[in-house]
Amino acid sequence: MLIHELAQRLRSISFEKGVLSPSLRKDRLMKLKKVILEKELHITEALKADLGKSTFETYATEIGFILDEIGHILKNIDDWTTPKKVKTPLPLFPGKSTVFPEPFGVVLIISPWNYPFQLCLSPLLGAVASGNKVVIKPSEFAPQTSAIINVILQEVFQQDEVILVEGGVEETQSLLNQKFDYIFFTGSTMVGKIIMKAASENLTPVTLELGGKSPCLIEESANIDIAAKRCVWGKFLNAGQTCVAPDYVLIPRHKQDEFISKMKSHLQSFYGDVKSSKDYPRIINQKHFDRLMSLVIEEKLAIGGEAFRDEKFISPTVMKNVDWSDKVMEDEIFGPILPIIPYDSLQEAIHEINSRPKPLAFYVFSENEKKRQEIIRKIPFGGGCINDTVIHLANPNLPFGGVGTSGIGSYHGKKSFDTFTHYKSVFEQGTLVDIPLRYPPYEGKLSWLKLFIR
Ligand code: NAD
C-alpha cells in the first residue's frame, strides 16, 4: 500500500467508533490462533526460506511462542479490560475513583528479521488486546515470512484494524512522517535513535526493544558442563542471531580450557556434522556474513571458523583469550561467534561489564547462592537468567525489555497489554454533599485542612 493512501486511511479512523469491544478483540485473537494453526506449514516453510530455521526451532521460538501468548491473553483479557475501582482518600469524601484502561489509538509496530514471525506478532497481540488499530512494518530482509504474515492478517482482521506495510528504510521513514499514537520498535540501537527522534516531533510515546552486548559470567563455583551446554544452546540457536544470545563469556582463567572442551562435546552431540545438520540455521544475508567474518581472529580460534559465503553458513565459532580491545568486543555480534575472555578476579569482571552500556540480557552461572545474588544486584541489565541462557523470554509473567541503550519499556504477557494502554483516571464526585473546606475565602480553614492532610 502507498504511504499516502495509508495516511488517508489513518485519518479516517475515528476513536469513538474505532475501538473494538473486548469481546471483538477476543474474537480476533481466537481467529488469529486458528489461522496460524491452519498455516503452520506455510509459516515453517517461510522461515526455512528466509533463515534456514528448522521446524522445531520455528515452532519453539516463533509459532509456539505466539500461540502461548494468545492463550495467556485470552485467559486474562476480561480482567485486564475491566475498569478498576481504586481507594479514595477521606478528604475527597464522598467521591469514588476509577481507572479505565484505554487504547492509545493507532500504533505503529516496526520489527526486525531475526525472529520475523514472533517479533511482528508478539507486540501486535498486546496492541490488539488493548483495543488499538495497528500499522505493522516487518523487516524487508525476511520477505517470505513477511508475505505469510500479510496473508494471515488479511484473513483475520478487517481492513482498518490491522494494516501491514512492506518496505525498507525509505518506507519506514515515510511511515515515521505520519502521526501515530504510539510507536513500538524492535531493532538495533542505532535505528532506535532515529525512531525516537522522529517520534519526538509529535511527542509520540515509544517502546524501543533494542540490542547490545549481553554478557555471560561464569563464576568460580559454576557447574562447567551445564554452563557450556546452556551457552551452546543459547548462543547457537538461530545461528546466534538472537538479541538475547550470550554475546561473550567471562570465565575464571583456569576454567577456560575445560569450558571449551565441554562446549565442543555439546556441539558435537547437538549438531553432529553441523554443515549438514537440518537443525542449524543460516546467516540472514551476505552483508551480515561479511561483517561477522571480519570479527574472527584466526590465532584465537578454539572451535569452528568454517564458513561458506554462497551458502551463508558460518559454523559455531568460539575464540579464546579474547581481549576487551579486540574488534569483536566493540559491537553486538549477532551471529555464531562466541568470544571468551578469561578473568582473574570476579570484581574486575563485574567492573568491566559495568563500564559498558547496560546490557539487554545478562547470564550468570554459579553454584554459590551468595555470589549469585551479589552479582545480580551489582550489575544493571534488562533481564536474564541464573544458571541458564535466553529462556527467561518464555515466561509471560516476566516483562521483557532493555535498559539504557538496550531499550526503553518492556512487554510480554500483561506488560504487553499495559504497554499499549493508557490508564485513564477518573474521579467522580456526587452533588448532594459539597464540603466547603476547599473553597476561598481560606480564613480559619488551614487548621481544619491540617487535620486531614498531614
Ligand atoms: P534494524 O534496526 O536494522 O532494523 C529494524 C527495522 O527498522 C526494520 O524493519 C528496518 O526496515 C527498519 N530500519 C532500518 N534502518 C532504518 C532507518 N535508517 N530508518 C528507519 N527505519 C529503519 O535491525 P535488524 O538488523 O532488523 O535487527 C537486528 C537488531 O535488532 C539487533 O541489534 C538486535 O539485538 C535487535 N533486536 C532486538 C530485539 C529485542 O527484543 N530487544 C529483538 C530482536 C532483535
Side-chain angles (χ1 to χ4, degrees):
M1 174 189 297
L2 296 170
I3 303 291
H4 75 268
E5 280 175 36
L6 171 80
Q8 247 171 5
R9 242 212 250 172
L10 290 179
R11 273 192 289 274
S12 71
I13 297 175
S14 96
F15 195 84
E16 311 93 272
K17 294 191 202 133
V19 177
L20 285 187
S21 66
S23 72
L24 279 178
R25 297 177 211 173
K26 278 198 274 186
D27 168 77
R28 299 295 188 270
L29 292 173
M30 282 189 284
K31 195 158 171 208
L32 181 58
K33 182 171 182 177
K34 182 170 159 280
V35 178
I36 289 173
L37 286 170
E38 282 165 11
K39 304 244 183 292
E40 191 180 327
L41 186 63
H42 295 102
I43 302 166
T44 307
E45 279 167 359
L47 283 149
K48 181 124 222 118
D50 286 334
L51 280 147
K53 273 195 203 198
S54 68
T55 309
F56 182 91
E57 237 182 79
T58 291
Y59 193 84
T61 64
E62 307 256 12
I63 299 173
F65 186 96
I66 293 300
L67 296 177
D68 205 46
E69 277 269 315
I70 295 178
H72 186 76
I73 293 175
L74 288 174
K75 227 183 273 163
N76 294 289
I77 191 169
D78 286 338
D79 175 37
W80 296 345
T81 50
T82 306
K84 299 275 183 312
K85 292 257 179 300
V86 293
K87 281 187 182 164
T88 300
L90 192 63
L92 299 181
F93 177 84
K96 53 188 178 186
S97 308
T98 312
V99 178
F100 293 84
E102 172 182 276
F104 279 100
V106 183
V107 307
L108 173 64
I109 294 173
I110 303 171
S111 55
W113 50 262
N114 60 329
Y115 289 85
F117 186 77
Q118 190 238 108
L119 292 172
C120 243
L121 291 191
S122 181
L124 176 103
L125 301 178
V128 169
S130 319
N132 295 279
K133 302 290 164 100
V134 183
V135 174
I136 191 152
K137 211 297 287 173
S139 169
E140 65 277 30
F141 297 121
Q144 303 294 329
T145 312
S146 170
I148 187 69
I149 293 174
N150 203 7
V151 170
I152 293 171
L153 296 181
Q154 288 193 16
E155 222 174 287
V156 174
F157 295 98
Q158 294 190 359
Q159 266 205 345
D160 68 348
E161 290 172 7
V162 175
I163 303 165
L164 184 140
V165 176
E166 284 183 319
V169 175
E170 201 186 316
E171 288 77 5
T172 317
Q173 299 276 7
S174 316
L175 277 174
L176 291 170
N177 289 333
Q178 311 302 317
K179 185 174 175 346
F180 289 94
D181 299 299
Y182 200 96
I183 299 177
F184 187 104
F185 171 79
T186 308
S188 60
T189 300
M190 192 192 79
V191 179
K193 290 181 189 174
I194 297 173
I195 304 294
M196 193 157 174
K197 197 167 175 194
S200 73
E201 283 299 315
N202 292 311
L203 287 182
T204 304
V206 291
T207 292
L208 302 177
E209 292 282 339
L210 309 176
K213 289 181 95 59
S214 297
C216 175
L217 177 58
I218 297 177
E219 193 268 324
E220 184 66 40
S221 67
N223 178 329
I224 295 292
D225 184 41
I226 284 287
K229 191 180 197 178
R230 294 179 183 167
C231 280
V232 165
W233 175 74
K235 178 68 186 187
F236 300 111
L237 182 79
N238 202 25
Q241 300 163 113
T242 302
C243 58
V244 288
D247 188 273
Y248 60 96
V249 167
L250 290 166
I251 192 161
R253 193 171 298 278
H254 65 106
K255 303 254 173 177
Q256 182 177 229
D257 289 340
E258 183 192 351
F259 182 71
I260 289 169
S261 122
K262 295 285 184 195
M263 281 191 109
K264 244 183 219 161
S265 80
H266 289 302
L267 276 166
Q268 179 59 33
S269 72
F270 284 9
Y271 302 111
D273 171 26
V274 68
K275 178 83 191 327
S276 58
S277 166
K278 287 203 290 290
D279 293 335
Y280 186 71
R282 296 298 181 260
I283 305 305
I284 186 72
N285 55 35
Q286 260 121 8
K287 187 175 147 225
H288 277 281
F289 177 96
D290 294 340
R291 178 186 61 79
L292 287 164
M293 290 313 293
S294 77
L295 304 177
V296 176
I297 311 164
E298 285 286 327
E299 315 81 75
K300 297 193 174 179
L301 272 180
I303 302 176
E306 294 87 24
F308 298 89
R309 193 173 190 273
D310 288 352
E311 297 167 56
K312 294 176 283 180
F313 170 87
I314 301 178
S315 68
T317 296
V318 178
M319 296 193 290
K320 65 188 283 193
N321 293 324
V322 171
D323 291 316
W324 290 104
S325 57
D326 288 333
K327 189 174 168 216
V328 71
M329 293 309 296
E330 278 171 18
D331 295 314
E332 179 183 8
I333 297 168
F334 216 56
I337 298 170
L338 183 68
I340 301 180
I341 303 185
Y343 69 82
D344 298 307
S345 109
L346 181 64
Q347 295 315 318
E348 163 210 313
I350 293 173
H351 176 72
E352 287 290 356
I353 294 172
N354 282 344
S355 55
R356 289 166 173 78
K358 293 175 186 167
L360 177 62
F362 171 72
Y363 307 111
V364 55
F365 284 85
S366 168
E367 294 298 304
N368 180 327
E369 169 68 15
K370 241 175 101 185
K371 286 274 181 232
R372 295 199 290 247
Q373 292 306 326
E374 178 198 335
I375 293 167
I376 288 293
R377 289 213 177 89
K378 280 189 173 166
I379 299 175
F381 57 94
C385 305
I386 295 172
N387 289 330
D388 215 327
T389 64
V390 177
I391 203 85
H392 57 297
L393 260 79
N395 182 354
N397 300 310
L398 287 174
F400 172 66
V403 56
T405 57
S406 60
I408 295 176
S410 58
Y411 72 132
H412 288 178
K414 168 78 162 42
K415 201 75 178 81
S416 290
F417 182 87
D418 290 343
T419 290
F420 291 103
T421 296
H422 165 62
Y423 284 97
K424 184 159 77 181
S425 299
V426 176
F427 173 68
E428 183 181 345
Q429 186 61 290
T431 51
L432 287 179
V433 183
D434 195 19
I435 299 167
L437 179 64
R438 67 169 136 150
Y439 301 118
Y442 299 128
E443 183 82 32
K445 290 182 177 168
L446 186 59
S447 50
W448 281 100
L449 183 66
K450 285 185 175 176
L451 278 181
F452 292 109
I453 308 173
R454 282 183 277 185

